[in-house]
Amino acid sequence: MNVLVLTRYERLGASSRIRFLQFLPRLEREGFTFDVRPLLDNAYVRSLYGGPPVGTVSILRAYGRRLRALMRRMQYDVVWLEKEALPWLPTWLEIARLEGIPYVVDYDDAWFHRYENHWLSPMLGHKIDAVMRVAHTVVAGNDYLARRARQAGARHVEIVPTVIDVERYRGLPVAPPNEVTTVGWIGIPLNAHYLAVIAPALRAVAGDTRIQLNVVGAPVPSELTGIPSESFPWSEDSEIARISAFDIGIMPLHDTPWERGKCAYKLLQVMAAGKPVIASPVGANVQVVRHGVNGFLANTTEEWSDALRRLAADPELRQRMGAEARRTVEDQYSTALAAPRLAAILKKAAAEL
């Protein structure tokens, strides 16, 4: 089966890497062939992370490449699409460039809210609904996204959570005992502002407990000044080693419609490394974290402070919860479970050509 894969980014973009690219070797062994045509290159992703800005000419060239790929779409059995083919362009053009071949579209973010809240909403506010409605299948990363797809009139909706290649997290070094508990967060600069949500809790705990905050992939926000903390650069090669140095992983979020579409990937990474987690009860976090078993769900400053203190004070609790966290990922959120489902979804869509 020949599949045209239209990702948003190259490998440096987490959504493309985790929702698409990590599955390709496994699916190729099942007889699939893939032609991967990302819209935006790694230079664009680096610009989002503080790198050199990408000029207008580069963006126009990217759209030109995407349009040429769409013109050749009939050479394939099915299109596997990330979010939409032509971001910020009118709905009619998007649908016209996709017609004639079945496509499977994947969402791991509530991208429809971005358009709804933008000044272009009169033109684009219902664009993602239209893409969902015309698709053969919408693959949603959580219940919130799936519910929107059904409301939009999607023909087939499948919930496939974001998953982890657990084999990459085997045999990690065991951190030696330390009087300082390392609290870790991993993400991108655009999301580091979520740490401000728990700044009062971190500051209160740091006043009576020896903790160190490790921020991987972003600078430490100014709201955390005075809290023992350090920033580390992110790379795909080093991220697992950085995570393995955590004693506790955290994922604070605001509770707004945008965050309800999030799929808990960074939380799952920490859990795959056998670490307990504390997370806001928002989006997929609610399904991933079993409160008091593999981590804690915390909403208020008091709940965050209590969870941090309990885990910092009790290494055996951390070990027990960490083992449960790892088991959760192995049993429910691994690539070995998701890949066969994706294969079946793509085959079913192609069969209706």
Side-chain angles (χ1 to χ4, degrees):
M1 181 181 296
N2 196 12
V3 183
L4 175 60
V5 184
L6 300 178
T7 59
R8 179 66 64 100
Y9 309 110
E10 292 183 317
R11 192 167 184 87
L12 195 58
S15 62
S16 301
R17 184 175 68 253
I18 299 307
R19 299 290 296 184
F20 292 81
L21 303 182
Q22 72 168 342
F23 294 107
L24 302 191
R26 187 184 294 264
L27 294 177
E28 284 170 345
R29 292 194 292 271
E30 296 189 22
F32 288 86
T33 59
F34 297 101
D35 185 3
V36 181
R37 301 288 174 168
L39 174 62
L40 300 164
D41 61 17
N42 285 336
Y44 178 87
V45 177
R46 292 189 188 98
S47 74
L48 299 178
Y49 300 170
V54 173
T56 303
V57 172
S58 294
I59 299 297
L60 291 174
R61 286 174 178 164
Y63 274 74
R65 290 192 297 269
R66 174 55 58 88
L67 285 167
R68 288 193 294 274
L70 287 166
M71 289 175 65
R72 297 190 297 270
R73 66 191 182 281
M74 301 307 294
Q75 300 173 14
Y76 304 89
D77 298 307
V78 66
V79 172
W80 190 11
L81 173 65
E82 182 177 359
K83 298 180 177 71
E84 58 187 321
L86 299 165
W88 302 103
L89 294 187
T91 305
W92 66 265
L93 180 59
E94 175 95 14
I95 300 304
R97 292 299 90 198
L98 288 168
E99 68 180 358
I101 185 168
Y103 67 91
V104 174
V105 63
D106 184 278
Y107 295 96
D108 68 339
D109 268 322
W111 199 253
F112 39 85
H113 289 317
R114 287 285 176 89
Y115 284 150
E116 290 170 346
N117 298 322
H118 195 271
W119 66 270
L120 288 172
S121 61
M123 180 177 69
L124 299 175
H126 297 289
K127 180 184 179 183
I128 298 300
D129 289 341
V131 174
M132 290 176 166
R133 190 162 50 248
V134 177
H136 178 277
T137 302
V138 175
V139 177
N142 68 17
D143 293 339
Y144 184 82
L145 302 173
R147 187 161 55 248
R148 176 58 176 252
R150 295 187 187 102
Q151 290 170 352
R155 287 182 286 166
H156 305 288
V157 181
E158 298 283 349
I159 299 176
V160 179
T162 294
V163 294
I164 301 292
D165 182 354
V166 294
E167 296 304 317
R168 296 182 63 224
Y169 291 77
R170 292 195 189 279
L172 300 183
V174 178
N178 195 325
E179 294 182 0
V180 178
T181 301
T182 300
V183 179
W185 179 93
I186 183 168
I188 62 175
L190 291 174
N191 290 336
H193 65 94
Y194 290 124
L195 287 167
V197 171
I198 60 167
L202 288 169
R203 188 163 284 109
V205 173
D208 56 38
T209 305
R210 296 188 65 185
I211 63 169
Q212 160 81 22
L213 176 66
N214 284 7
V215 177
V216 179
V220 178
S222 59
E223 292 88 347
L224 274 59
T225 299
I227 298 168
S229 56
E230 188 173 356
S231 172
F232 298 89
W234 176 91
S235 75
E236 187 177 359
D237 292 336
S238 66
E239 65 175 351
I240 295 176
R242 297 291 188 196
I243 291 169
S244 70
F246 298 173
D247 294 308
I248 305 164
I250 57 173
M251 189 175 175
L253 291 172
H254 299 297
D255 188 5
T256 74
W258 172 255
E259 282 78 17
R260 291 167 200 159
K262 289 194 170 293
C263 295
Y265 171 58
K266 300 303 183 183
L267 205 61
L268 290 165
Q269 283 189 286
V270 177
M271 295 170 68
K275 310 293 181 177
V277 293
I278 310 171
S280 298
V282 179
N285 292 3
V286 178
Q287 283 77 47
V288 170
V289 179
R290 288 183 292 152
H291 185 72
V293 178
N294 57 17
F296 293 107
L297 293 169
N299 198 22
T300 66
T301 296
E302 291 73 23
E303 289 169 351
W304 274 95
S305 300
D306 179 65
L308 285 165
R309 287 192 177 99
R310 285 184 64 184
L311 287 170
D314 193 340
E316 291 185 1
L317 178 63
R318 295 201 301 269
Q319 184 176 18
R320 186 166 65 251
M321 282 191 164
E324 287 292 338
R326 168 75 187 194
R327 192 171 298 113
T328 297
V329 176
E330 290 177 334
D331 292 346
Q332 301 177 50
Y333 299 97
S334 76
T335 53
L337 296 173
R341 292 195 60 203
L342 290 172
I345 290 166
L346 293 170
K347 289 176 181 177
K348 183 178 179 181
E352 297 194 12
L353 182 62

